[in-house]
Amino acid sequence: MEYILAPSILAADFKNLGEQMKLTEDNGAKYIHFDVMDGMFVPSISFGMPVLKSIHDVTGQVMDAHLMVKEPIRYIEEFEKSGADIVTIHLEACEDVEATIQKIRDCNMKVGLSICPETPAEAIEHLLPKMDMLLVMSVHPGFGGQKFIPESLDKIRKIRAMINEQGLQVDIQVDGGIYLTNVREVLDAGANIIVAGSAVFGGDPGENTKKFMEILKDYE
């Protein structure tokens, strides 16, 4: 299993975004996490396809688009055209989640499925064979500066057990309130892709990425 850091550019300094992304790449971060918020599924509004299109070739990193939007099926083709490699949708935001997953597949992108803190692990058990990655939200989506929800660790353990029981190769990504001080707990629970925003971009992105990667390499 590969252990990956996915810096969230929502916390980056957009005046120097390309430079900051490159610093994370040079220090081992394979993904860039791209949070899309529509002001409907979540209260906040962030950015969308034009921003992704303008930055996706700044680095060679995997563009990991996390769509916190209602009925994301409407936008899948545009995200493919804009350079997304992985598209993660929310179970709670889709009227027909299986059709949305198929749409992502049809556009030749990897499929991610996310669940909010109040959604139990069992809700996605039957969908695991259809996805490449399961994103556990360890904070409530759409609000910055929240603390990691400790109950998320049990959810990660349950999902890792489900994946193993089904004999699948599905990544578990975790997003929200993760810092150098608690990332080992998340990895020990069974996650292998870590999203970090202010923990990477608050300060020196290159040095912070390097510190995260030193921990992740202990698990390989």
Side-chain angles (χ1 to χ4, degrees), residues 201-219:
F201 291 108
D204 182 336
E207 190 60 33
N208 292 335
T209 298
K210 187 177 178 181
K211 289 176 181 176
F212 267 107
M213 292 308 303
E214 286 170 358
I215 295 172
L216 267 60
K217 283 172 185 172
D218 287 345
Y219 288 79

PDB file of all heavy atoms in Angstrom, residues 201-219:
ATOM      1  N   PHE A 201       0.637  24.346   4.535  1.00  0.00           N
ATOM      2  CA  PHE A 201       0.839  25.685   3.974  1.00  0.00           C
ATOM      3  C   PHE A 201       0.987  26.776   5.031  1.00  0.00           C
ATOM      4  O   PHE A 201       1.297  27.918   4.689  1.00  0.00           O
ATOM      5  CB  PHE A 201      -0.294  26.022   3.010  1.00  0.00           C
ATOM      6  CG  PHE A 201      -0.257  25.186   1.757  1.00  0.00           C
ATOM      7  CD1 PHE A 201      -1.195  24.185   1.550  1.00  0.00           C
ATOM      8  CD2 PHE A 201       0.720  25.390   0.805  1.00  0.00           C
ATOM      9  CE1 PHE A 201      -1.159  23.404   0.393  1.00  0.00           C
ATOM     10  CE2 PHE A 201       0.768  24.613  -0.348  1.00  0.00           C
ATOM     11  CZ  PHE A 201      -0.171  23.615  -0.555  1.00  0.00           C
ATOM     12  N   GLY A 202       0.775  26.448   6.296  1.00  0.00           N
ATOM     13  CA  GLY A 202       1.008  27.408   7.372  1.00  0.00           C
ATOM     14  C   GLY A 202       2.482  27.392   7.749  1.00  0.00           C
ATOM     15  O   GLY A 202       2.931  26.546   8.508  1.00  0.00           O
ATOM     16  N   GLY A 203       3.244  28.291   7.179  1.00  0.00           N
ATOM     17  CA  GLY A 203       4.693  28.274   7.380  1.00  0.00           C
ATOM     18  C   GLY A 203       5.398  27.906   6.091  1.00  0.00           C
ATOM     19  O   GLY A 203       4.994  28.331   5.011  1.00  0.00           O
ATOM     20  N   ASP A 204       6.424  27.085   6.179  1.00  0.00           N
ATOM     21  CA  ASP A 204       7.210  26.679   5.013  1.00  0.00           C
ATOM     22  C   ASP A 204       6.627  25.394   4.424  1.00  0.00           C
ATOM     23  O   ASP A 204       6.781  24.323   5.021  1.00  0.00           O
ATOM     24  CB  ASP A 204       8.664  26.457   5.442  1.00  0.00           C
ATOM     25  CG  ASP A 204       9.578  26.088   4.282  1.00  0.00           C
ATOM     26  OD1 ASP A 204       9.089  25.565   3.257  1.00  0.00           O
ATOM     27  OD2 ASP A 204      10.797  26.317   4.401  1.00  0.00           O
ATOM     28  N   PRO A 205       5.958  25.461   3.266  1.00  0.00           N
ATOM     29  CA  PRO A 205       5.313  24.270   2.702  1.00  0.00           C
ATOM     30  C   PRO A 205       6.292  23.137   2.409  1.00  0.00           C
ATOM     31  O   PRO A 205       5.956  21.963   2.586  1.00  0.00           O
ATOM     32  CB  PRO A 205       4.669  24.784   1.408  1.00  0.00           C
ATOM     33  CG  PRO A 205       4.545  26.257   1.584  1.00  0.00           C
ATOM     34  CD  PRO A 205       5.703  26.660   2.430  1.00  0.00           C
ATOM     35  N   GLY A 206       7.486  23.494   1.972  1.00  0.00           N
ATOM     36  CA  GLY A 206       8.468  22.460   1.671  1.00  0.00           C
ATOM     37  C   GLY A 206       8.914  21.723   2.918  1.00  0.00           C
ATOM     38  O   GLY A 206       8.952  20.481   2.958  1.00  0.00           O
ATOM     39  N   GLU A 207       9.235  22.470   3.955  1.00  0.00           N
ATOM     40  CA  GLU A 207       9.703  21.866   5.208  1.00  0.00           C
ATOM     41  C   GLU A 207       8.583  21.076   5.872  1.00  0.00           C
ATOM     42  O   GLU A 207       8.807  19.968   6.395  1.00  0.00           O
ATOM     43  CB  GLU A 207      10.208  22.968   6.144  1.00  0.00           C
ATOM     44  CG  GLU A 207      10.934  22.453   7.374  1.00  0.00           C
ATOM     45  CD  GLU A 207      12.165  21.623   7.062  1.00  0.00           C
ATOM     46  OE1 GLU A 207      12.844  21.909   6.046  1.00  0.00           O
ATOM     47  OE2 GLU A 207      12.431  20.678   7.828  1.00  0.00           O
ATOM     48  N   ASN A 208       7.361  21.604   5.859  1.00  0.00           N
ATOM     49  CA  ASN A 208       6.229  20.894   6.466  1.00  0.00           C
ATOM     50  C   ASN A 208       5.925  19.600   5.723  1.00  0.00           C
ATOM     51  O   ASN A 208       5.627  18.568   6.339  1.00  0.00           O
ATOM     52  CB  ASN A 208       4.995  21.795   6.497  1.00  0.00           C
ATOM     53  CG  ASN A 208       5.142  22.961   7.457  1.00  0.00           C
ATOM     54  OD1 ASN A 208       5.910  22.895   8.407  1.00  0.00           O
ATOM     55  ND2 ASN A 208       4.413  24.045   7.209  1.00  0.00           N
ATOM     56  N   THR A 209       5.993  19.655   4.392  1.00  0.00           N
ATOM     57  CA  THR A 209       5.782  18.444   3.586  1.00  0.00           C
ATOM     58  C   THR A 209       6.836  17.398   3.922  1.00  0.00           C
ATOM     59  O   THR A 209       6.528  16.205   4.085  1.00  0.00           O
ATOM     60  CB  THR A 209       5.843  18.783   2.086  1.00  0.00           C
ATOM     61  OG1 THR A 209       4.788  19.695   1.770  1.00  0.00           O
ATOM     62  CG2 THR A 209       5.700  17.531   1.236  1.00  0.00           C
ATOM     63  N   LYS A 210       8.065  17.833   4.022  1.00  0.00           N
ATOM     64  CA  LYS A 210       9.166  16.923   4.340  1.00  0.00           C
ATOM     65  C   LYS A 210       8.927  16.207   5.665  1.00  0.00           C
ATOM     66  O   LYS A 210       9.133  14.993   5.783  1.00  0.00           O
ATOM     67  CB  LYS A 210      10.472  17.723   4.391  1.00  0.00           C
ATOM     68  CG  LYS A 210      11.717  16.881   4.543  1.00  0.00           C
ATOM     69  CD  LYS A 210      12.947  17.784   4.499  1.00  0.00           C
ATOM     70  CE  LYS A 210      14.223  16.983   4.687  1.00  0.00           C
ATOM     71  NZ  LYS A 210      15.413  17.863   4.679  1.00  0.00           N
ATOM     72  N   LYS A 211       8.442  16.934   6.669  1.00  0.00           N
ATOM     73  CA  LYS A 211       8.179  16.342   7.986  1.00  0.00           C
ATOM     74  C   LYS A 211       7.047  15.311   7.916  1.00  0.00           C
ATOM     75  O   LYS A 211       7.118  14.244   8.542  1.00  0.00           O
ATOM     76  CB  LYS A 211       7.850  17.436   8.999  1.00  0.00           C
ATOM     77  CG  LYS A 211       9.051  18.284   9.382  1.00  0.00           C
ATOM     78  CD  LYS A 211       8.649  19.427  10.313  1.00  0.00           C
ATOM     79  CE  LYS A 211       9.847  20.297  10.673  1.00  0.00           C
ATOM     80  NZ  LYS A 211       9.446  21.468  11.488  1.00  0.00           N
ATOM     81  N   PHE A 212       5.989  15.637   7.161  1.00  0.00           N
ATOM     82  CA  PHE A 212       4.898  14.664   6.975  1.00  0.00           C
ATOM     83  C   PHE A 212       5.419  13.408   6.272  1.00  0.00           C
ATOM     84  O   PHE A 212       5.089  12.284   6.654  1.00  0.00           O
ATOM     85  CB  PHE A 212       3.761  15.273   6.149  1.00  0.00           C
ATOM     86  CG  PHE A 212       2.675  15.912   6.967  1.00  0.00           C
ATOM     87  CD1 PHE A 212       2.547  17.291   7.017  1.00  0.00           C
ATOM     88  CD2 PHE A 212       1.767  15.145   7.679  1.00  0.00           C
ATOM     89  CE1 PHE A 212       1.537  17.901   7.764  1.00  0.00           C
ATOM     90  CE2 PHE A 212       0.749  15.731   8.428  1.00  0.00           C
ATOM     91  CZ  PHE A 212       0.640  17.113   8.466  1.00  0.00           C
ATOM     92  N   MET A 213       6.216  13.603   5.227  1.00  0.00           N
ATOM     93  CA  MET A 213       6.694  12.461   4.447  1.00  0.00           C
ATOM     94  C   MET A 213       7.614  11.562   5.271  1.00  0.00           C
ATOM     95  O   MET A 213       7.614  10.335   5.072  1.00  0.00           O
ATOM     96  CB  MET A 213       7.409  12.947   3.190  1.00  0.00           C
ATOM     97  CG  MET A 213       6.497  13.606   2.159  1.00  0.00           C
ATOM     98  SD  MET A 213       5.039  12.601   1.714  1.00  0.00           S
ATOM     99  CE  MET A 213       5.812  11.088   1.133  1.00  0.00           C
ATOM    100  N   GLU A 214       8.350  12.127   6.193  1.00  0.00           N
ATOM    101  CA  GLU A 214       9.199  11.309   7.068  1.00  0.00           C
ATOM    102  C   GLU A 214       8.350  10.345   7.896  1.00  0.00           C
ATOM    103  O   GLU A 214       8.716   9.197   8.109  1.00  0.00           O
ATOM    104  CB  GLU A 214      10.033  12.206   7.977  1.00  0.00           C
ATOM    105  CG  GLU A 214      11.187  12.892   7.254  1.00  0.00           C
ATOM    106  CD  GLU A 214      11.876  13.967   8.090  1.00  0.00           C
ATOM    107  OE1 GLU A 214      11.420  14.208   9.249  1.00  0.00           O
ATOM    108  OE2 GLU A 214      12.842  14.561   7.603  1.00  0.00           O
ATOM    109  N   ILE A 215       7.182  10.844   8.337  1.00  0.00           N
ATOM    110  CA  ILE A 215       6.267   9.985   9.104  1.00  0.00           C
ATOM    111  C   ILE A 215       5.616   8.946   8.201  1.00  0.00           C
ATOM    112  O   ILE A 215       5.564   7.752   8.528  1.00  0.00           O
ATOM    113  CB  ILE A 215       5.196  10.832   9.819  1.00  0.00           C
ATOM    114  CG1 ILE A 215       5.854  11.740  10.880  1.00  0.00           C
ATOM    115  CG2 ILE A 215       4.129   9.944  10.455  1.00  0.00           C
ATOM    116  CD1 ILE A 215       4.914  12.755  11.517  1.00  0.00           C
ATOM    117  N   LEU A 216       5.127   9.381   7.037  1.00  0.00           N
ATOM    118  CA  LEU A 216       4.460   8.449   6.125  1.00  0.00           C
ATOM    119  C   LEU A 216       5.392   7.325   5.689  1.00  0.00           C
ATOM    120  O   LEU A 216       4.956   6.167   5.535  1.00  0.00           O
ATOM    121  CB  LEU A 216       3.912   9.185   4.901  1.00  0.00           C
ATOM    122  CG  LEU A 216       2.450   9.661   4.997  1.00  0.00           C
ATOM    123  CD1 LEU A 216       2.226  10.624   6.136  1.00  0.00           C
ATOM    124  CD2 LEU A 216       2.001  10.283   3.690  1.00  0.00           C
ATOM    125  N   LYS A 217       6.669   7.634   5.504  1.00  0.00           N
ATOM    126  CA  LYS A 217       7.627   6.605   5.056  1.00  0.00           C
ATOM    127  C   LYS A 217       7.824   5.522   6.106  1.00  0.00           C
ATOM    128  O   LYS A 217       8.183   4.387   5.778  1.00  0.00           O
ATOM    129  CB  LYS A 217       8.961   7.259   4.702  1.00  0.00           C
ATOM    130  CG  LYS A 217       8.922   7.959   3.334  1.00  0.00           C
ATOM    131  CD  LYS A 217      10.178   8.763   3.071  1.00  0.00           C
ATOM    132  CE  LYS A 217      10.044   9.541   1.763  1.00  0.00           C
ATOM    133  NZ  LYS A 217      11.160  10.486   1.562  1.00  0.00           N
ATOM    134  N   ASP A 218       7.564   5.850   7.374  1.00  0.00           N
ATOM    135  CA  ASP A 218       7.657   4.829   8.431  1.00  0.00           C
ATOM    136  C   ASP A 218       6.641   3.708   8.257  1.00  0.00           C
ATOM    137  O   ASP A 218       6.800   2.623   8.826  1.00  0.00           O
ATOM    138  CB  ASP A 218       7.423   5.472   9.813  1.00  0.00           C
ATOM    139  CG  ASP A 218       8.595   6.323  10.274  1.00  0.00           C
ATOM    140  OD1 ASP A 218       9.696   6.211   9.685  1.00  0.00           O
ATOM    141  OD2 ASP A 218       8.412   7.121  11.225  1.00  0.00           O
ATOM    142  N   TYR A 219       5.583   3.986   7.485  1.00  0.00           N
ATOM    143  CA  TYR A 219       4.492   3.021   7.338  1.00  0.00           C
ATOM    144  C   TYR A 219       4.614   2.173   6.068  1.00  0.00           C
ATOM    145  O   TYR A 219       3.830   1.252   5.864  1.00  0.00           O
ATOM    146  CB  TYR A 219       3.142   3.745   7.353  1.00  0.00           C
ATOM    147  CG  TYR A 219       2.795   4.247   8.733  1.00  0.00           C
ATOM    148  CD1 TYR A 219       3.357   5.419   9.240  1.00  0.00           C
ATOM    149  CD2 TYR A 219       1.929   3.535   9.564  1.00  0.00           C
ATOM    150  CE1 TYR A 219       3.055   5.880  10.522  1.00  0.00           C
ATOM    151  CE2 TYR A 219       1.622   3.981  10.840  1.00  0.00           C
ATOM    152  CZ  TYR A 219       2.197   5.163  11.312  1.00  0.00           C
ATOM    153  OH  TYR A 219       1.899   5.595  12.579  1.00  0.00           O
TER     154      TYR A 219
END
